[in-house]
Amino acid sequence: MAISPYAAWMLAQEARSMLARLSRVRPFALIEPMVPAAALSPASQAAIEAHLAQGRRELRRLVDGYLAWLRGPAGRNSSAAEAQRRFTVLRLKFNAALAQFDLFNDVITQRSEHENGVWLSGLDVVSDDALRLPGKPYTAPPVICYLDRGPGAAIRRARTRLPGGGDNPVAIIRVPRERMVGSGIASSLVHEVGHQGAALLDLVNSLRPVLQGMQRGASGPPRVWRLWERWISEIVADFWSLARVGVVATLGLMGVVSLPRVFVFRLDTEDPHPMPWLRVKLSCAMGQLLYPHPQWRRLAELWESYYPLTGLPPALRRLMRQLQDSMPALARLLARHRPAALRGRALGLALGVQQRQPRRLALLFSLWRRAPQRLYDAPPSLAFAVIGQARADGRLDPEEESALLARLLTHWALRSTLDTGRRSAVCAVGS
């Protein structure tokens, strides 16, 4: 039965109403108030606005197409049920487009919060520095940060599929509020940066065949290497964090996974995260390989004192012992891995571990205390590594650390804003 004029009119009204609502969605640059130092980088802002503008154009095209179909012979001769089905699909796409807007709106709105907005801009700068590698083996996407509740961080990687379609134009890192502001923020932040970096280097896919080969070799029980393969995506991100910010990565990890005992010893082979107890021990093992120093043994013993193995089932203890025995081999495998994107360079060296040895970090802290401007001029990830090492050595108390990091985040945000302004002015003069 052909659609009635009343049904066609009602559906046309609904479609036109969607167009009216779509026209009310404005670019963030016109609606979000924030001080310049808290604003997104021009690259991030441009990428987000271009992505959303493309989504609005596509949605408008779909609605206009639906209205043309409804008015044309095909629509007039269709049933009301078919016209309603097509409209329902269209509305789902419309809601998905608004969900993308809300995703970025939640991130950007925090930039108007006093202090937090500027600190988030500073964290953007830290993330960008932690993601960039010498030799530029990839084009790093813009990274933006926002705060949320909960103890852990998370990332929505750039160039991954968004709800409703389209690739994410920027990397979005959720930072736990409870870590603002202390050096532990570096552990969570750079771990998530590591997920983005691992994707750009295709580390997980290049490591899996190596780990599968270990399962067939004589390097320990096959189950051990099957588990490491299962957990490799999170392990690589932990390795990245260690390589970029040093011991603070392990200290921050201990803070995140310090949970009731039942959770610390939970072995879930479906979870991409290693058992928390093993994860901290592996961080210490990787740290010892990258930065030989007594601090790793102290941290491992401290962790064991927090969560002794007494009372665990014998089979679980045996498996945990086997996993611990394989940790040095796994750490060497990661440090020496040479993914194609690095063009022959080993991962550990490419991440700059030679610049973050504990003695060098301690020396830099002493120098920077006498000449504070050098700290502000240093690469942000190196500054976090120096401050984290000083905290681990007992040379910096928590109150001084928090105040210093707040000043640094503000400085990095302001410097980035002024540098961008100067570049724009030079380009304007040159043109």
Side-chain angles (χ1 to χ4, degrees):
M1 181 177 178
I3 188 170
S4 68
Y6 180 65
W9 178 81
M10 283 292 290
L11 290 170
Q13 294 297 300
E14 288 296 315
R16 289 169 58 189
S17 178
M18 282 201 300
L19 284 177
R21 295 198 299 276
L22 187 62
S23 67
R24 306 297 296 177
V25 178
R26 309 295 300 280
F28 288 116
L30 297 178
I31 61 175
E32 290 293 351
M34 63 190 73
V35 298
L40 299 178
S41 71
S44 298
Q45 184 91 33
I48 293 171
E49 297 289 14
H51 174 80
L52 293 177
Q54 175 62 30
R56 291 195 296 271
R57 286 193 296 270
E58 176 64 15
L59 194 58
R60 186 174 295 277
R61 185 187 66 80
L62 291 173
V63 176
D64 287 340
Y66 174 76
L67 287 170
W69 174 85
L70 194 62
R71 299 186 191 105
R76 290 196 302 270
N77 293 324
S78 72
S79 66
E82 172 61 15
Q84 170 68 8
R85 184 191 68 79
R86 289 180 178 238
F87 174 76
T88 300
V89 171
L90 186 63
R91 187 172 58 188
L92 290 174
K93 292 180 178 179
F94 177 82
N95 289 334
L98 289 186
Q100 289 189 17
F101 179 86
D102 289 338
L103 166 68
F104 293 112
N105 185 62
D106 291 344
V107 172
I108 295 172
T109 296
Q110 290 185 353
R111 300 299 169 118
S112 62
E113 293 182 12
H114 178 61
E115 287 191 331
N116 281 342
V118 175
W119 290 344
L120 286 170
S121 184
L123 290 178
D124 294 348
V125 178
V126 179
S127 302
D128 180 76
D129 179 60
L131 185 57
R132 294 183 183 274
L133 299 183
K136 299 181 178 179
Y138 48 69
T139 301
V143 183
I144 58 177
C145 302
Y146 75 104
L147 298 176
D148 206 350
R149 59 183 178 274
I155 186 171
R156 185 183 290 273
R157 289 187 284 110
R159 304 163 193 168
T160 55
R161 197 73 170 166
L162 284 170
D167 290 342
N168 189 14
V170 297
I172 304 173
I173 297 179
R174 184 188 74 204
V175 177
R177 281 187 182 272
E178 61 96 8
R179 301 217 139 189
M180 294 293 284
V181 177
S183 60
I185 191 69
S187 176
S188 298
L189 182 70
V190 184
H191 171 90
E192 302 307 330
V193 168
H195 280 298
Q196 182 67 68
L200 294 170
L201 292 176
D202 200 26
L203 287 179
V204 172
N205 288 330
S206 64
L207 281 164
R208 285 198 188 281
V210 181
L211 293 169
Q212 290 165 4
M214 300 292 280
Q215 296 167 33
R216 298 188 294 270
S219 301
R223 185 187 181 192
V224 165
W225 293 100
R226 282 197 298 271
L227 286 172
W228 290 139
E229 183 192 357
R230 176 71 185 91
W231 297 328
I232 191 60
S233 63
E234 293 297 328
I235 291 170
V236 164
D238 282 346
F239 184 87
W240 194 288
S241 185
L242 263 171
R244 300 304 280 160
V245 294
V247 69
V248 71
T250 303
L251 292 171
L253 175 62
M254 291 172 69
V256 169
V257 300
S258 289
L259 302 165
R261 183 179 172 88
V262 64
F263 298 108
V264 172
F265 289 109
R266 174 178 289 174
L267 180 67
D268 184 353
T269 58
E270 299 303 315
D271 189 341
H273 298 81
M275 175 197 291
W277 194 89
L278 290 167
R279 191 175 171 191
V280 171
K281 292 298 295 288
L282 177 59
S283 184
C284 292
M286 293 189 297
Q288 178 61 33
L289 177 75
L290 297 176
Y291 315 109
H293 191 278
Q295 66 186 359
W296 306 106
R297 178 182 53 80
R298 291 197 301 268
L299 287 176
E301 291 175 352
L302 177 66
W303 184 244
E304 291 171 7
S305 72
Y306 289 165
Y307 298 100
L309 300 181
T310 53
L312 294 179
L316 179 58
R317 292 186 63 171
R318 182 166 55 253
L319 176 61
M320 292 171 66
R321 184 169 59 251
Q322 292 170 341
L323 286 161
Q324 286 187 82
D325 290 343
S326 68
M327 286 177 183
L330 177 61
R332 287 192 300 271
L333 186 155
L334 291 168
R336 298 172 182 174
H337 186 57
R338 299 175 187 271
L342 291 179
R343 297 185 290 274
R345 286 183 296 161
L347 181 60
L349 293 176
L351 288 170
V353 297
Q354 65 273 24
Q355 304 298 321
R356 288 156 173 77
Q357 296 299 317
R359 288 189 178 182
R360 182 174 186 271
L361 298 180
L363 176 61
L364 287 175
F365 183 73
S366 298
L367 293 174
W368 291 350
R369 277 212 148 168
R370 294 194 293 271
Q373 186 57 43
R374 293 187 178 184
L375 172 61
Y376 290 87
D377 293 339
S381 61
L382 178 60
F384 261 109
V386 169
I387 292 169
Q389 187 65 52
R391 177 72 187 277
D393 293 341
R395 302 175 66 190
L396 189 66
D397 60 43
E399 294 80 10
E400 185 181 0
E401 173 199 59
S402 183
L404 176 58
L405 287 174
R407 292 197 298 271
L408 279 169
L409 290 174
T410 301
H411 169 76
W412 292 328
L414 180 59
R415 183 179 66 187
S416 176
T417 302
L418 295 178
D419 287 348
T420 299
R422 278 193 290 267
R423 286 194 295 269
S424 300
V426 169
C427 291
V429 171
S431 61

